[in-house]
Amino acid sequence: MHIATLFFLLFLVLGFALVSQAYRQTLSGNITHEQQSFKQQGFAVEQSLQLTITPVKASLTLLSYSPITSATTLPQRLSALPQLTSVLTSQNSISAIYIGYANGDFFLVRKFTNEVQAALHKKAPENTEFLVQSITSTGNKREGNYLFFDANLKQLESLFMPDYQYDPRTRIWYQEAQSSTNVVISRSYIFFTTQEPGSTLAIKTPAGNAVIGADFSMKNLSQFLEKMQRPQGSEVVLFDDQGQLIASAREMYTTQNTMHTLPLLNSLKIPVLDILQEDITKQAITVGKHKELNLKTANNESWVAYVISMSSGSKYPLYLSLLLPLDTLYLPARNNALTGAIVTVFFLLLMLPFVWYVAKQTAKPLLTLKKDIESIRNFDFEKKFPTHSHISEIKELTEAMNSMRFTIHNFISIDNALTAEHKFDSLLTLILNETLKAVAANGGIIYLRQDSTLKMEPVRAFWQQQEVKGLTGIPLRDKKEHALRLAIHGLKVVETLDPTVWQRDFQQLAPFDKAHLLVAEPLISHRKEVIGLLVVVLPQDHHASHDIKARVSLIDALSGTAAVAIETQRLIDEQKHLLESFIELVAGAIDAKSAYTGGHCQRVPVLTQMLTQAACDQKQGVFADFKLDDDQWEAVHIASWLHDCGKVTTPEYIVDKATKLEGLYDRIHEIRMRFEVIKRDVHIATLKSYLDNEQQKEIENSVSALWKVLDDEFAFVAECNLGCENMAAVHQERLQEIAKRTWQRTLDDRLGISHDELERKSQNPKQTLPVWEHLLADKPEHLIPRPDSEQIKNDNPWGFKVTVPEYLYNRGEMYSLTVPYGTLTNEERFKINQHIIQTIIMLNKLPFPQHLQNVPEIAGGHHEKMDGSGYPKGLHQKDLSIPARIMAIADIFEALTARDRPYKSGKTITEALQLMKEMTKKNHIDRDLYILFVTSEIWREYAKQYLLPEQLTEVDKAALLDGLERLNFPQ
């Protein structure tokens, strides 16, 4: 690239230098050409002007000797009409000839043109060719006449013009002629009648009694300038020393000029002419000379003006100017330069392949090495670029590059393989195999430190690509000499082992009689502890080679990577084992809180694993695409063990609540006591009315019937306390009647109680003892307020959609005994259900790794229902993952069949599956998972392990599945 660029730049500089020189020459030639062309054109204009004026001068000179100069009457003057008209017809540039007499008379002959007709106020006769204007003096009287003649000088009409008053003696041409004996030419002006630009040529007669003049029109000069060849965009003008415009290539006059003066240069509305007018009026130019002016307009347009001063035979000089925009001069040069640049680039491009070929052949080996380096930089070790060069340095560099490629490739391959491997046993095999292949070793061993045995135990050994078993460990505190004694203490060992030492220490690896090179690298942890050894055996023939150092260095590098991989994998396995043990510990602690639900947290994971595996095994149907990898299985396993971790926050007496009145103790005993008191009260009241024995017997007989009623009523209350599936309304009414019984309290119930209970009792006024109270009652002190910390707002961050009871607990006796289903009040049922809320909150606080991020969702969704009526988030089926739906089925089935619940006995398999079918019909559980649960007979395998034999009843799968295939719930 450098060689090609150098040549290319040299040719490029040379080419553009030639183009620049050509540009300057073209520009200079253009300027010279325009100057020469303008000089020639100016000479042509001057010649044309002189050729036109000279005949007029001659004609005027001859006429100065004509008799008309002494004629005093109009007829005498008309006699010279043929002579005057012949001059007019022979000289196109003369528009009128006239004679001014010393007495003020005036005689003028004019060609009759359209301009003349326009100046008259009356239409001229038809065929008029000449107009004679005459002023004749008779005494003190002056008479003006207009006479019209045709081409044959026949008078067509004569008009008396009383208003035609003109004194030639007051005119400049007359006065200037009087002061000269030659023909004089006046300053250019606008002719009164024809409105043409021109000058007056005049000569005094030899006798001095008259002046003959002729109007010389310069109108033809504008036409001449218009036809003049000039560059595009240029302007050409003819003007006098006062800046009056005489002729131009543009139209000069558009309206009647009443001032009879020539327009100025700026009348053409060309900005550059304004600048030119200022310069010319400030400095005169010698006749016959030319001048070049550089002008710039207000809008920054640059012009060049060439000005020539011409002789017109008059004392008033005329100037001819050609004005060119600078772009007009530069454009051809620029075009030529652009063409030259294109040609130069074209030829450079034609030469570029040749230049490139020569440079490439010179630098080809280096370019190949560059590609080799780029492939290594991009970690692409498959591509190889052979390099051939006669330069020794490049050959050595190529060999070094190949060696580096091989080493880096092997190192990265091993590193990637170690990073991707997550199983410890496979990791050890991979480390040793890849290391042996990278360094072309005969064999090797990996030792790992076992603190339990205080040995370096060989965990993997290979010889000639075959695994070797049965190697013995190395005691860490062995005082015997061993080939690896230094490596065990953290030092690298590189030594040649003779057959004797080899047979002593490594005879089980491979017996041989040749010396081998032993390389032992200690595997050091981040705590600087030796956790193992990487032992590599190299063939002896490599020992003398310079390659041995590279192989030892590679083993050294790989040992560090191996140590990190082994330590990391060990830590991961240990942490996983610790996490699983901790999770099982938490689950065991939760179950240990209750003797009745002691196996729930252990049994739900079993059911979850069974049903999940059944779903993964499906080859067709809804779950054909459902598969879990190792990380996802781990998430399901952890979630199933932690699905009820929130129960650690649930009071034990609620979890184990066996009766309706049970709290920290069963309050039925209090009620029994009250019945006893009533019985005693009745007995005492009766005894008061009887004093003798006979009377006492009579009393006992009379109260026995009431006692029997009270016994029956207590038995009924005790039965209500046990709970049932559905408490009948008639039972609730009977309970209300029993509660109306009263008993007398003579002791203060505010003594010896807790501060909180005393505060609740203080909300009502204290009663005077003794007090008669109802047998069963709901008292204000039974209502336990719910603290703010127990409230759950609608906008909670976890998305819970639950109705929170007003009170934390309601321990009212009638309120508790009239619970329609089971033993739990609304508050206690919320407290039970709150375990799933706490589960979600607790799990969301744990920093799960990425592959376990869905553990809270799986564990926290087993109380949700497919129709969105579940707890605590009200999620629908589409919002729940398949593992979460699986766990819901496992949780329900375990709860229905559990035989250790305090409030019910375990249901049979048939009963449980039938209840779950009803839940499926209500869209509470996943239909497809329920069908899979039934058809796969997971329940049978589970029942054999965890249920009583009498619970494993005959199951009619067809009946359980009947009608479910027609269900179609919204997702």
Side-chain angles (χ1 to χ4, degrees):
M1 178 62 73
H2 284 82
I3 297 172
T5 303
L6 178 61
F7 277 100
F8 186 81
L9 290 177
L10 288 175
F11 287 129
L12 190 65
V13 170
L14 177 61
F16 277 97
L18 295 176
V19 170
S20 176
Q21 179 64 23
Y23 171 77
R24 289 193 296 271
Q25 290 181 351
T26 302
L27 180 60
S28 176
N30 288 342
I31 294 174
T32 302
H33 170 73
E34 294 299 336
Q35 290 176 342
Q36 296 297 330
S37 176
F38 179 65
K39 286 181 180 180
Q40 293 176 2
Q41 291 172 346
F43 179 75
V45 172
E46 186 176 11
Q47 288 294 104
S48 175
L49 183 62
Q50 293 298 329
L51 291 175
T52 306
I53 292 176
T54 301
V56 177
K57 287 183 176 180
S59 298
L60 290 179
T61 303
L62 292 174
L63 288 175
S64 66
Y65 294 96
S66 173
I68 193 174
T69 58
S70 58
T72 58
T73 63
L74 179 58
Q76 293 176 349
R77 294 169 183 167
L78 287 175
S79 63
L81 189 60
Q83 184 181 7
L84 297 177
T85 56
S86 64
V87 174
L88 288 176
T89 54
S90 62
Q91 304 290 334
N92 291 330
S93 59
I94 299 178
S95 60
I97 295 179
Y98 40 85
I99 301 100
Y101 296 94
N103 63 349
D105 286 357
F106 183 69
F107 183 79
L108 179 144
V109 180
R110 185 187 305 278
K111 296 176 183 177
F112 194 79
T113 61
N114 293 332
E115 291 81 1
V116 176
Q117 175 65 67
L120 295 178
H121 298 289
K122 177 182 177 182
K123 184 173 178 61
E126 190 176 354
N127 298 325
T128 300
E129 290 292 333
F130 299 101
L131 171 64
V132 175
Q133 298 174 217
S134 174
I135 298 177
T136 307
S137 300
T138 305
N140 294 327
K141 183 179 179 182
R142 292 170 60 85
E143 181 178 317
N145 293 283
Y146 277 15
L147 292 87
F148 300 91
F149 295 87
D150 61 9
N152 297 322
L153 300 182
K154 179 182 179 181
Q155 184 174 336
L156 301 177
E157 186 178 356
S158 176
L159 293 177
F160 175 66
M161 303 293 290
D163 296 331
Y164 181 41
Q165 299 295 324
Y166 180 82
D167 190 350
R169 294 171 297 181
T170 62
R171 311 304 293 176
I172 294 178
W173 56 269
Y174 186 92
Q175 297 172 358
E176 289 183 349
Q178 288 292 336
S179 60
S180 176
T181 59
N182 298 318
V183 176
V184 297
I185 303 176
S186 68
R187 183 183 293 277
S188 300
Y189 63 97
I190 297 297
F191 296 152
F192 177 84
T193 303
T194 62
Q195 292 294 304
E196 295 175 343
S199 298
T200 299
L201 278 72
I203 187 171
K204 180 177 67 174
T205 60
N209 58 342
V211 174
I212 299 178
D215 285 345
F216 175 73
S217 175
M218 294 185 181
K219 182 178 181 180
N220 293 334
L221 288 177
S222 293
Q223 298 174 355
F224 185 87
L225 296 181
E226 185 177 356
K227 295 178 182 179
M228 189 184 346
Q229 293 184 354
R230 53 191 175 88
Q232 185 178 2
S234 62
E235 300 288 345
V236 60
V237 290
L238 182 66
F239 55 96
D240 62 11
D241 57 344
Q242 293 182 346
Q244 295 184 117
L245 184 61
I246 298 172
S248 171
R250 293 182 177 229
E251 184 178 355
M252 295 170 47
Y253 313 103
T254 56
T255 57
Q256 188 77 9
N257 193 328
T258 58
M259 300 300 294
H260 309 297
T261 58
L262 289 168
L264 297 176
L265 286 174
N266 56 19
S267 65
L268 292 179
K269 306 299 182 183
I270 301 175
V272 69
L273 293 180
D274 298 346
I275 311 300
L276 178 63
Q277 180 175 323
E278 293 178 5
D279 286 358
I280 292 300
T281 54
K282 291 179 181 178
Q283 52 186 335
I285 300 177
T286 307
V287 175
K289 300 295 183 179
H290 72 278
K291 189 171 186 179
E292 179 180 336
L293 302 175
N294 292 317
L295 309 175
K296 180 171 287 191
T297 62
N299 56 357
N300 289 327
E301 290 183 354
S302 297
W303 294 68
V304 60
Y306 299 109
V307 184
I308 295 178
S309 177
M310 298 188 306
S311 174
S312 62
S314 169
K315 64 180 180 180
Y316 308 107
L318 297 180
Y319 301 105
L320 179 66
S321 178
L322 175 67
L323 298 101
L324 296 173
L326 285 181
D327 286 343
T328 302
L329 292 175
Y330 287 110
L331 185 60
R334 289 173 182 169
N335 291 337
N336 290 341
L338 180 60
T339 302
I342 294 174
V343 171
T344 300
V345 172
F346 175 74
F347 279 105
L348 282 176
L349 293 177
L350 287 179
M351 295 175 59
L352 184 59
F354 174 75
V355 174
W356 179 260
Y357 176 78
V358 174
K360 186 174 182 180
Q361 292 303 314
T362 304
K364 188 175 181 179
L366 294 177
L367 294 175
T368 304
L369 285 175
K370 173 179 174 290
K371 293 179 180 179
D372 212 10
I373 293 172
E374 287 179 348
S375 66
I376 295 175
R377 183 187 64 185
N378 297 327
F379 299 100
D380 183 2
F381 301 100
E382 299 300 325
K383 293 181 180 179
K384 293 184 179 179
F385 304 93
T387 303
H388 303 285
S389 177
H390 299 291
I391 303 174
S392 59
E393 290 82 0
I394 295 180
K395 288 182 179 180
E396 294 173 1
L397 180 60
T398 301
E399 293 176 359
M401 287 293 300
N402 290 333
S403 177
M404 181 178 69
R405 171 192 290 275
F406 177 77
T407 302
I408 296 177
H409 184 200
N410 288 338
F411 186 82
I412 292 178
S413 298
I414 295 174
D415 187 65
N416 291 337
L418 297 182
T419 304
E421 185 56 61
H422 300 297
K423 295 182 179 179
F424 190 65
D425 290 340
S426 300
L427 178 66
L428 296 174
T429 302
L430 183 65
I431 289 174
L432 189 53
N433 273 334
E434 293 296 330
T435 301
L436 298 181
K437 285 192 296 183
V439 298
N442 284 343
I445 311 171
I446 291 182
Y447 291 91
L448 290 183
R449 176 171 180 162
Q450 306 296 330
D451 291 335
S452 59
T453 61
L454 296 179
K455 282 186 176 183
M456 282 287 182
E457 295 288 352
V459 293
R460 284 294 182 278
F462 282 90
W463 185 261
Q464 300 295 349
Q465 300 181 354
Q466 298 296 323
E467 187 172 3
V468 179
K469 301 286 188 179
L471 295 179
T472 59
I474 307 172
L476 296 177
R477 299 176 183 174
D478 192 1
K479 297 181 180 180
K480 296 180 180 180
E481 290 295 324
H482 194 280
L484 303 179
R485 64 190 183 282
L486 296 178
I488 291 175
H489 294 89
L491 299 176
K492 180 169 67 174
V493 174
V494 181
E495 62 183 36
T496 301
L497 296 183
D498 57 46
T500 303
V501 176
W502 189 268
Q503 293 298 330
R504 184 192 69 190
D505 296 336
F506 304 102
Q507 73 278 7
Q508 291 174 295
L509 184 63
F512 53 81
D513 54 4
K514 293 183 180 180
H516 277 63
L517 183 67
L518 179 73
V519 181
E521 289 281 355
L523 302 178
I524 301 176
S525 69
H526 71 284
R527 293 194 179 100
K528 307 302 180 183
E529 299 174 352
V530 179
I531 62 173
L533 302 178
L534 175 61
V535 180
V536 178
V537 181
L538 297 176
Q540 182 61 32
D541 53 354
H542 285 282
H543 186 65
S545 174
H546 69 278
D547 185 54
I548 193 64
K549 292 184 179 180
R551 295 175 185 273
V552 172
S553 297
L554 181 58
I555 294 172
D556 188 13
L558 291 176
S559 67
T561 303
V564 172
I566 291 173
E567 183 185 23
T568 301
Q569 195 61 46
R570 262 189 167 181
L571 289 174
I572 292 175
D573 288 348
E574 290 172 357
Q575 287 176 354
K576 283 186 177 181
H577 181 68
L578 175 63
L579 176 62
E580 291 181 2
S581 300
F582 179 75
I583 290 171
E584 294 177 9
L585 175 66
V586 171
I590 293 171
D591 286 344
K593 288 182 62 178
S594 170
Y596 301 108
T597 61
H600 177 75
C601 291
Q602 283 81 22
R603 293 193 291 267
V604 168
V606 174
L607 271 170
T608 301
Q609 193 274 337
M610 289 180 177
L611 185 53
T612 304
Q613 186 62 57
C616 290
D617 293 340
Q618 298 300 300
K619 305 300 181 184
Q620 57 185 2
V622 178
F623 303 104
D625 297 329
F626 177 68
K627 297 291 183 292
L628 298 181
D629 57 24
D630 291 343
D631 290 340
Q632 292 170 325
W633 269 112
E634 183 181 359
V636 171
H637 173 74
I638 292 176
S640 62
W641 275 94
L642 292 176
H643 79 284
D644 272 348
C645 67
K647 282 185 178 179
V648 298
T649 65
T650 305
E652 184 178 329
Y653 73 89
I654 294 181
V655 176
D656 296 344
K657 188 174 183 182
T659 64
K660 295 181 180 180
L661 293 175
E662 184 176 357
L664 294 176
Y665 69 97
D666 196 340
R667 291 177 291 162
I668 190 65
H669 304 297
E670 293 185 7
I671 297 174
R672 181 187 300 111
M673 180 275 297
R674 296 172 197 164
F675 275 93
E676 292 287 352
V677 171
I678 292 174
K679 291 172 64 177
R680 303 300 186 276
D681 288 345
V682 172
H683 194 189
I684 294 171
T686 305
L687 289 177
K688 284 183 179 180
S689 60
Y690 299 96
L691 299 176
D692 53 24
N693 292 334
E694 187 174 344
Q695 291 174 331
Q696 291 178 6
K697 290 181 180 180
E698 188 175 346
I699 291 173
E700 290 177 357
N701 292 334
S702 63
V703 299
S704 61
L706 182 57
W707 280 359
K708 185 177 186 306
V709 171
L710 291 175
D711 289 343
D712 291 341
E713 289 180 350
F714 174 74
F716 173 74
V717 172
E719 181 182 357
C720 292
N721 187 43
L722 294 177
C724 59
E725 295 294 336
N726 188 358
M727 187 176 185
V730 64
H731 292 168
Q732 295 186 16
E733 292 175 0
R734 185 182 177 189
L735 199 62
Q736 294 288 347
E737 291 298 325
I738 295 174
K740 293 179 181 179
R741 291 188 179 276
T742 59
W743 65 286
Q744 188 179 55
R745 177 170 59 82
T746 60
L747 298 175
D748 190 351
D749 61 355
R750 303 191 181 194
L751 298 178
I753 60 176
S754 68
H755 173 76
D756 290 342
E757 186 176 2
L758 179 61
E759 186 176 350
R760 292 196 299 273
K761 283 182 175 290
S762 300
Q763 296 177 2
N764 296 310
K766 187 175 182 180
Q767 296 176 312
T768 303
L769 299 175
V771 177
W772 289 91
E773 294 185 348
H774 287 289
L775 176 62
L776 303 173
D778 293 335
K779 299 180 179 180
E781 57 265 27
H782 291 155
L783 301 176
I784 311 300
R786 182 175 296 279
D788 292 339
S789 60
E790 291 280 341
Q791 300 292 339
I792 299 179
K793 298 181 180 179
N794 293 333
D795 58 347
N796 64 87
W798 306 280
F800 299 142
K801 299 176 182 178
V802 294
T803 301
V804 182
E806 179 181 1
Y807 297 102
L808 181 64
Y809 298 111
N810 186 339
R811 293 172 179 164
E813 295 162 348
M814 286 299 296
Y815 179 76
S816 298
L817 286 171
T818 55
V819 169
Y821 300 97
T823 63
L824 299 177
T825 64
N826 288 337
E827 291 76 12
E828 292 167 337
R829 188 172 300 279
F830 177 81
K831 196 67 177 178
I832 288 289
N833 289 337
Q834 197 178 19
H835 82 276
I836 191 61
I837 294 177
Q838 293 301 324
T839 295
I840 294 174
I841 293 175
M842 291 164 64
L843 293 181
N844 274 302
K845 290 180 179 180
L846 295 179
F848 286 108
Q850 185 63 38
H851 70 284
L852 299 178
Q853 289 294 313
N854 56 343
V855 165
E857 186 267 339
I858 298 174
H862 65 277
H863 284 294
E864 301 288 351
K865 298 178 181 179
M866 303 305 103
D867 62 354
S869 62
Y871 188 88
K873 296 184 179 182
L875 301 177
H876 290 77
Q877 179 173 343
K878 62 182 177 61
D879 303 318
L880 295 167
S881 64
I882 291 178
R885 288 179 255 162
I886 289 175
M887 190 173 295
I889 290 179
D891 188 74
I892 293 171
F893 184 76
E894 194 284 330
L896 291 174
T897 57
R899 63 184 188 275
D900 50 9
R901 296 297 189 268
Y903 47 84
K904 71 174 186 64
S905 58
K907 297 186 180 299
T908 66
I909 295 296
T910 303
E911 292 172 337
L913 293 178
Q914 184 61 41
L915 287 173
M916 292 174 70
K917 177 182 179 180
E918 298 302 320
M919 296 179 186
T920 303
K921 289 182 177 181
K922 296 177 182 179
N923 199 21
H924 288 176
I925 61 178
D926 189 292
R927 178 193 63 181
D928 298 315
L929 286 174
Y930 172 74
I931 293 174
L932 177 62
F933 184 74
V934 173
T935 56
S936 63
E937 297 192 0
I938 294 171
W939 43 268
R940 186 182 303 278
E941 182 181 352
Y942 174 79
K944 290 179 180 179
Q945 297 182 47
Y946 298 100
L947 302 184
L948 297 175
E950 56 268 23
Q951 288 182 271
L952 185 55
T953 55
E954 291 295 327
V955 174
D956 185 355
K957 293 193 288 184
L960 290 174
L961 301 179
D962 182 41
L964 295 183
E965 68 277 0
R966 296 188 297 274
L967 296 177
N968 186 19
F969 299 118
Q971 296 298 310

